[in-house]
Amino acid sequence: MNNALHNWDRIVIHADMDSFYAAVEQLDDPGLQGHPILVGSNSGRGVVLTASYEARPFGVGSGMPMAQAQRLCPDALIVPPRFKRYQELSTIIMTVFSDFSPIVEPLSLDEAFLEMTGSEGLFGEPKNMGRQLKEAVKTATQGLTVSVGVSGSKYVAKVASGFAKPDGLTVVPPTAARRWLAPLPVSKLWGAGEKTQTRFAAMGLKTIGDVANSNPSLLVKQLGNAGSHFYSLSCAKDARKVKSQHTAKSIGSEHTLDRDTRHPREIKNYLRRSADAVARRLRNKGLIAAGVRVKLKTSEFQLLTRQEHFDEPTDVADILYKKASVLLSAFQHSGPFRLVGVTAFDLRTVKGPLQLSLLKRDGRERRLESTLDKIAERFGEDVVHRAGDPKTTLGADLVANLDFLDNTEGM
Ligand code: TTP
Ligand code: MG
């Protein structure tokens, strides 16, 4: 890692699954592999959602009326879509992406940008990042291929991912980007629809290089603000950031009691219930928490909180509870209290390499809790109790129970 890397101020990946719906159908039914297939409804006015790569040489593709596609490619098998299954695989793919970067911007079910700047230490040079990502997607999905573009901006990475489909890997170093774009047609300029393409043609501009070498003020005159946008893109200038999806900042569960209490044992029972609920929701969302906060409200409605970080993030209720119990003894106020709550904060996704050791260490407790999750999912939370669960002794005292997920707070 090496001199070549000095030219990379930024590293952006664009990843796009190959003929996604069709590839999923071929994955699940090996009988379809190697055959031209069209995913879509066979009914009179159905359209093709996507065509497998075996069908594409016949000129069929997304959006085409099914009847027309059948005429062009009579051997193609028509497969009705199974959206739930595509969603399932999309979740797997997006999880893989989040193993590679904390900043992932999904564009659709099968496509996302990944901000990879600064991750050379983990994945090596840009080409290696792309290779490893492709491999990880294939392994996680048991066979699907993704095409990957790696460059120094979103725009060039996006064009690059489409350059060598299917199963492509195209790396365009930022210093070579302008040269690399130059021979491509103006239709590859992001946002250039048919109308704009006609305008470019009228100006005698056929390739992206033609646009880059043209007079920018003339472009603005002809195309308005869009003119300067296209000019920047043609020069491989695109400073847009990869915008990661919003994730919850905290997950909490609290209980308002109908009889105020000052007994630590009673309060701890509520902490235990809240910790169980919070941990279950963390696991459902594939998140781990780096910190936990205990919240108490006094009879006079005074709100008190204590919080602390863990050595390592967790989604294990027992660990949340033990830390919450320690925090409880740090409160100066002796009650009585009318509300008890536990909140997990500083949340991260569970799948990063950092977490492997943690999951192993807490393996037994996690497995137990995951089993409880499944039982709760099937039969309702109320059937799941640990020994000493407050439900059995305090159930009647419980009047309100609020589980929340907060996207806004910054505590
Ligand atoms: P795309 O990524 O545009 O196409 P694709 O993955 O099928 O093929 P490529 O290898 O060229 O990327 O879209 C992803 C999925 O979205 C696609 O498999 C089907 C669905 N889709 C529609 O339902 N309607 C459409 O018009 C398009 C373009 C896609
Ligand atoms: Mg795709």
Tab-separated table of all heavy atoms in Angstrom, residues 336-370:
chain	number	residue	atom	x	y	z
A	336	PRO	N	-39.165	7.952	47.143
A	336	PRO	CA	-39.678	6.890	46.269
A	336	PRO	C	-39.735	7.298	44.792
A	336	PRO	O	-39.773	8.478	44.480
A	336	PRO	CB	-41.087	6.653	46.816
A	336	PRO	CG	-41.455	7.876	47.576
A	336	PRO	CD	-40.184	8.537	48.010
A	337	PHE	N	-39.768	6.277	43.950
A	337	PHE	CA	-39.758	6.495	42.508
A	337	PHE	C	-41.057	6.002	41.886
A	337	PHE	O	-41.643	5.031	42.356
A	337	PHE	CB	-38.576	5.758	41.873
A	337	PHE	CG	-37.253	6.228	42.404
A	337	PHE	CD1	-36.522	5.437	43.282
A	337	PHE	CD2	-36.746	7.473	42.057
A	337	PHE	CE1	-35.305	5.881	43.788
A	337	PHE	CE2	-35.529	7.921	42.565
A	337	PHE	CZ	-34.811	7.127	43.424
A	338	ARG	N	-41.450	6.693	40.829
A	338	ARG	CA	-42.694	6.318	40.135
A	338	ARG	C	-42.443	5.755	38.747
A	338	ARG	O	-43.351	5.211	38.125
A	338	ARG	CB	-43.640	7.522	40.061
A	338	ARG	CG	-43.131	8.661	39.182
A	338	ARG	CD	-44.037	9.874	39.232
A	338	ARG	NE	-45.445	9.533	39.061
A	338	ARG	CZ	-46.037	9.326	37.897
A	338	ARG	NH1	-45.336	9.452	36.776
A	338	ARG	NH2	-47.310	9.028	37.832
A	339	LEU	N	-41.199	5.892	38.266
A	339	LEU	CA	-40.888	5.372	36.923
A	339	LEU	C	-39.450	4.846	36.912
A	339	LEU	O	-38.544	5.449	37.484
A	339	LEU	CB	-41.049	6.483	35.889
A	339	LEU	CG	-40.684	6.161	34.440
A	339	LEU	CD1	-41.606	6.892	33.473
A	339	LEU	CD2	-39.231	6.511	34.107
A	340	VAL	N	-39.275	3.709	36.245
A	340	VAL	CA	-37.960	3.083	36.127
A	340	VAL	C	-37.725	2.744	34.662
A	340	VAL	O	-38.608	2.164	34.022
A	340	VAL	CB	-37.906	1.770	36.952
A	340	VAL	CG1	-36.571	1.069	36.755
A	340	VAL	CG2	-38.164	2.042	38.428
A	341	GLY	N	-36.573	3.117	34.135
A	341	GLY	CA	-36.326	2.799	32.723
A	341	GLY	C	-34.868	2.493	32.426
A	341	GLY	O	-33.967	2.905	33.162
A	342	VAL	N	-34.669	1.744	31.349
A	342	VAL	CA	-33.320	1.430	30.863
A	342	VAL	C	-33.249	1.826	29.391
A	342	VAL	O	-34.156	1.501	28.619
A	342	VAL	CB	-33.018	-0.083	30.997
A	342	VAL	CG1	-31.717	-0.441	30.295
A	342	VAL	CG2	-32.962	-0.489	32.463
A	343	THR	N	-32.194	2.527	29.024
A	343	THR	CA	-32.009	2.914	27.623
A	343	THR	C	-30.613	2.496	27.161
A	343	THR	O	-29.632	2.746	27.860
A	343	THR	CB	-32.148	4.444	27.465
A	343	THR	OG1	-33.458	4.831	27.864
A	343	THR	CG2	-31.925	4.864	26.013
A	344	ALA	N	-30.565	1.854	25.998
A	344	ALA	CA	-29.270	1.535	25.386
A	344	ALA	C	-28.956	2.647	24.396
A	344	ALA	O	-29.817	3.031	23.612
A	344	ALA	CB	-29.358	0.199	24.670
A	345	PHE	N	-27.728	3.175	24.425
A	345	PHE	CA	-27.400	4.252	23.493
A	345	PHE	C	-26.042	3.982	22.847
A	345	PHE	O	-25.381	2.999	23.159
A	345	PHE	CB	-27.422	5.622	24.207
A	345	PHE	CG	-26.394	5.773	25.300
A	345	PHE	CD1	-25.139	6.306	25.027
A	345	PHE	CD2	-26.678	5.384	26.593
A	345	PHE	CE1	-24.190	6.442	26.026
A	345	PHE	CE2	-25.740	5.515	27.611
A	345	PHE	CZ	-24.493	6.042	27.315
A	346	ASP	N	-25.656	4.883	21.954
A	346	ASP	CA	-24.419	4.710	21.178
A	346	ASP	C	-24.481	3.366	20.429
A	346	ASP	O	-23.695	2.464	20.664
A	346	ASP	CB	-23.201	4.793	22.104
A	346	ASP	CG	-21.958	5.206	21.327
A	346	ASP	OD1	-22.006	5.192	20.087
A	346	ASP	OD2	-20.937	5.529	21.956
A	347	LEU	N	-25.469	3.277	19.534
A	347	LEU	CA	-25.754	1.996	18.874
A	347	LEU	C	-24.916	1.811	17.607
A	347	LEU	O	-24.653	2.763	16.888
A	347	LEU	CB	-27.244	1.939	18.510
A	347	LEU	CG	-28.228	2.241	19.644
A	347	LEU	CD1	-29.662	2.076	19.164
A	347	LEU	CD2	-27.964	1.361	20.843
A	348	ARG	N	-24.507	0.572	17.375
A	348	ARG	CA	-23.789	0.224	16.141
A	348	ARG	C	-24.400	-1.038	15.547
A	348	ARG	O	-25.071	-1.770	16.254
A	348	ARG	CB	-22.310	-0.101	16.453
A	348	ARG	CG	-21.514	1.047	17.032
A	348	ARG	CD	-20.989	0.704	18.399
A	348	ARG	NE	-20.595	1.940	19.089
A	348	ARG	CZ	-19.357	2.179	19.479
A	348	ARG	NH1	-18.409	1.279	19.288
A	348	ARG	NH2	-19.069	3.304	20.089
A	349	THR	N	-24.064	-1.290	14.272
A	349	THR	CA	-24.544	-2.541	13.688
A	349	THR	C	-23.687	-3.684	14.209
A	349	THR	O	-22.514	-3.511	14.506
A	349	THR	CB	-24.490	-2.514	12.155
A	349	THR	OG1	-23.194	-2.091	11.785
A	349	THR	CG2	-25.510	-1.553	11.587
A	350	VAL	N	-24.307	-4.839	14.263
A	350	VAL	CA	-23.687	-5.954	14.975
A	350	VAL	C	-22.621	-6.679	14.156
A	350	VAL	O	-21.795	-7.398	14.693
A	350	VAL	CB	-24.780	-6.956	15.428
A	350	VAL	CG1	-25.208	-7.860	14.297
A	350	VAL	CG2	-24.322	-7.767	16.605
A	351	LYS	N	-22.587	-6.461	12.840
A	351	LYS	CA	-21.839	-7.389	12.000
A	351	LYS	C	-20.355	-7.050	11.758
A	351	LYS	O	-19.665	-7.818	11.131
A	351	LYS	CB	-22.533	-7.511	10.640
A	351	LYS	CG	-23.924	-8.103	10.736
A	351	LYS	CD	-23.823	-9.571	11.103
A	351	LYS	CE	-25.120	-10.335	10.933
A	351	LYS	NZ	-26.180	-9.896	11.800
A	352	GLY	N	-19.884	-5.930	12.213
A	352	GLY	CA	-18.503	-5.549	11.943
A	352	GLY	C	-17.505	-6.557	12.493
A	352	GLY	O	-17.819	-7.296	13.422
A	353	PRO	N	-16.282	-6.602	11.918
A	353	PRO	CA	-15.278	-7.554	12.365
A	353	PRO	C	-14.948	-7.403	13.858
A	353	PRO	O	-14.659	-8.364	14.546
A	353	PRO	CB	-14.058	-7.233	11.509
A	353	PRO	CG	-14.355	-5.956	10.800
A	353	PRO	CD	-15.826	-5.747	10.824
A	354	LEU	N	-15.052	-6.161	14.338
A	354	LEU	CA	-14.753	-5.893	15.746
A	354	LEU	C	-15.583	-6.743	16.692
A	354	LEU	O	-15.179	-7.045	17.803
A	354	LEU	CB	-15.104	-4.427	16.047
A	354	LEU	CG	-14.059	-3.379	15.792
A	354	LEU	CD1	-14.650	-2.001	16.062
A	354	LEU	CD2	-12.860	-3.615	16.689
A	355	GLN	N	-16.791	-7.088	16.234
A	355	GLN	CA	-17.737	-7.691	17.151
A	355	GLN	C	-17.571	-9.201	17.314
A	355	GLN	O	-18.146	-9.792	18.197
A	355	GLN	CB	-19.168	-7.394	16.681
A	355	GLN	CG	-19.667	-6.064	17.170
A	355	GLN	CD	-19.110	-4.935	16.341
A	355	GLN	OE1	-19.252	-4.929	15.141
A	355	GLN	NE2	-18.447	-3.991	16.987
A	356	LEU	N	-16.745	-9.793	16.449
A	356	LEU	CA	-16.674	-11.254	16.466
A	356	LEU	C	-16.245	-11.805	17.821
A	356	LEU	O	-16.830	-12.730	18.348
A	356	LEU	CB	-15.731	-11.734	15.361
A	356	LEU	CG	-16.342	-11.594	13.968
A	356	LEU	CD1	-15.324	-11.945	12.902
A	356	LEU	CD2	-17.585	-12.462	13.839
A	357	SER	N	-15.217	-11.188	18.403
A	357	SER	CA	-14.703	-11.685	19.677
A	357	SER	C	-15.781	-11.568	20.752
A	357	SER	O	-15.990	-12.459	21.554
A	357	SER	CB	-13.475	-10.885	20.078
A	357	SER	OG	-13.846	-9.537	20.255
A	358	LEU	N	-16.478	-10.470	20.694
A	358	LEU	CA	-17.518	-10.214	21.679
A	358	LEU	C	-18.605	-11.287	21.618
A	358	LEU	O	-19.025	-11.838	22.629
A	358	LEU	CB	-18.120	-8.828	21.398
A	358	LEU	CG	-19.573	-8.609	21.746
A	358	LEU	CD1	-19.697	-8.222	23.198
A	358	LEU	CD2	-20.164	-7.548	20.868
A	359	LEU	N	-19.040	-11.580	20.379
A	359	LEU	CA	-20.129	-12.537	20.232
A	359	LEU	C	-19.706	-13.901	20.749
A	359	LEU	O	-20.486	-14.630	21.335
A	359	LEU	CB	-20.564	-12.621	18.764
A	359	LEU	CG	-21.110	-11.316	18.190
A	359	LEU	CD1	-21.688	-11.533	16.818
A	359	LEU	CD2	-22.160	-10.699	19.105
A	360	LYS	N	-18.428	-14.226	20.525
A	360	LYS	CA	-17.920	-15.503	20.991
A	360	LYS	C	-17.921	-15.534	22.516
A	360	LYS	O	-18.384	-16.462	23.148
A	360	LYS	CB	-16.492	-15.677	20.452
A	360	LYS	CG	-16.209	-17.106	20.025
A	360	LYS	CD	-14.820	-17.229	19.477
A	360	LYS	CE	-14.820	-17.439	17.976
A	360	LYS	NZ	-13.521	-17.164	17.391
A	361	ARG	N	-17.432	-14.437	23.085
A	361	ARG	CA	-17.281	-14.379	24.536
A	361	ARG	C	-18.621	-14.538	25.241
A	361	ARG	O	-18.744	-15.206	26.240
A	361	ARG	CB	-16.628	-13.049	24.928
A	361	ARG	CG	-15.992	-13.093	26.281
A	361	ARG	CD	-15.736	-11.699	26.770
A	361	ARG	NE	-16.976	-10.927	26.799
A	361	ARG	CZ	-17.025	-9.625	26.945
A	361	ARG	NH1	-15.921	-8.926	27.026
A	361	ARG	NH2	-18.171	-8.990	26.990
A	362	ASP	N	-19.617	-13.864	24.690
A	362	ASP	CA	-20.924	-13.902	25.340
A	362	ASP	C	-21.829	-14.951	24.715
A	362	ASP	O	-23.039	-14.895	24.862
A	362	ASP	CB	-21.600	-12.523	25.233
A	362	ASP	CG	-20.772	-11.456	25.903
A	362	ASP	OD1	-20.172	-11.767	26.946
A	362	ASP	OD2	-20.721	-10.331	25.396
A	363	GLY	N	-21.204	-15.920	24.038
A	363	GLY	CA	-21.959	-16.869	23.223
A	363	GLY	C	-23.091	-17.563	23.942
A	363	GLY	O	-24.207	-17.617	23.445
A	364	ARG	N	-22.802	-18.096	25.146
A	364	ARG	CA	-23.813	-18.888	25.827
A	364	ARG	C	-25.037	-18.050	26.183
A	364	ARG	O	-26.171	-18.415	25.907
A	364	ARG	CB	-23.203	-19.492	27.090
A	364	ARG	CG	-23.905	-20.738	27.514
A	364	ARG	CD	-23.341	-21.337	28.767
A	364	ARG	NE	-24.420	-22.020	29.469
A	364	ARG	CZ	-25.222	-21.420	30.321
A	364	ARG	NH1	-25.065	-20.154	30.577
A	364	ARG	NH2	-26.192	-22.091	30.920
A	365	GLU	N	-24.776	-16.873	26.754
A	365	GLU	CA	-25.878	-15.990	27.173
A	365	GLU	C	-26.673	-15.507	25.959
A	365	GLU	O	-27.891	-15.424	25.972
A	365	GLU	CB	-25.315	-14.807	27.966
A	365	GLU	CG	-26.366	-13.894	28.562
A	365	GLU	CD	-27.302	-14.568	29.575
A	365	GLU	OE1	-26.862	-15.539	30.251
A	365	GLU	OE2	-28.450	-14.156	29.668
A	366	ARG	N	-25.932	-15.188	24.858
A	366	ARG	CA	-26.623	-14.727	23.646
A	366	ARG	C	-27.536	-15.823	23.112
A	366	ARG	O	-28.654	-15.568	22.699
A	366	ARG	CB	-25.622	-14.335	22.548
A	366	ARG	CG	-24.964	-12.999	22.783
A	366	ARG	CD	-24.187	-12.591	21.571
A	366	ARG	NE	-24.969	-11.703	20.738
A	366	ARG	CZ	-25.336	-11.963	19.516
A	366	ARG	NH1	-25.015	-13.104	18.961
A	366	ARG	NH2	-26.010	-11.091	18.832
A	367	ARG	N	-26.996	-17.062	23.102
A	367	ARG	CA	-27.816	-18.163	22.559
A	367	ARG	C	-29.080	-18.337	23.384
A	367	ARG	O	-30.160	-18.491	22.855
A	367	ARG	CB	-26.992	-19.459	22.531
A	367	ARG	CG	-26.150	-19.599	21.271
A	367	ARG	CD	-25.743	-21.050	21.047
A	367	ARG	NE	-25.009	-21.608	22.157
A	367	ARG	CZ	-23.720	-21.377	22.387
A	367	ARG	NH1	-23.020	-20.614	21.582
A	367	ARG	NH2	-23.115	-21.918	23.420
A	368	LEU	N	-28.921	-18.276	24.692
A	368	LEU	CA	-30.072	-18.412	25.575
A	368	LEU	C	-31.092	-17.310	25.271
A	368	LEU	O	-32.278	-17.572	25.092
A	368	LEU	CB	-29.622	-18.301	27.041
A	368	LEU	CG	-30.757	-18.134	28.064
A	368	LEU	CD1	-31.592	-19.406	28.147
A	368	LEU	CD2	-30.217	-17.764	29.437
A	369	GLU	N	-30.591	-16.084	25.188
A	369	GLU	CA	-31.512	-14.964	24.970
A	369	GLU	C	-32.158	-15.021	23.586
A	369	GLU	O	-33.310	-14.665	23.422
A	369	GLU	CB	-30.789	-13.631	25.215
A	369	GLU	CG	-30.425	-13.482	26.697
A	369	GLU	CD	-29.841	-12.126	27.055
A	369	GLU	OE1	-29.830	-11.224	26.194
A	369	GLU	OE2	-29.388	-11.971	28.197
A	370	SER	N	-31.388	-15.487	22.585
A	370	SER	CA	-31.975	-15.608	21.248
A	370	SER	C	-33.091	-16.652	21.246
A	370	SER	O	-34.097	-16.498	20.563
A	370	SER	CB	-30.921	-16.016	20.216
A	370	SER	OG	-29.949	-15.032	20.164
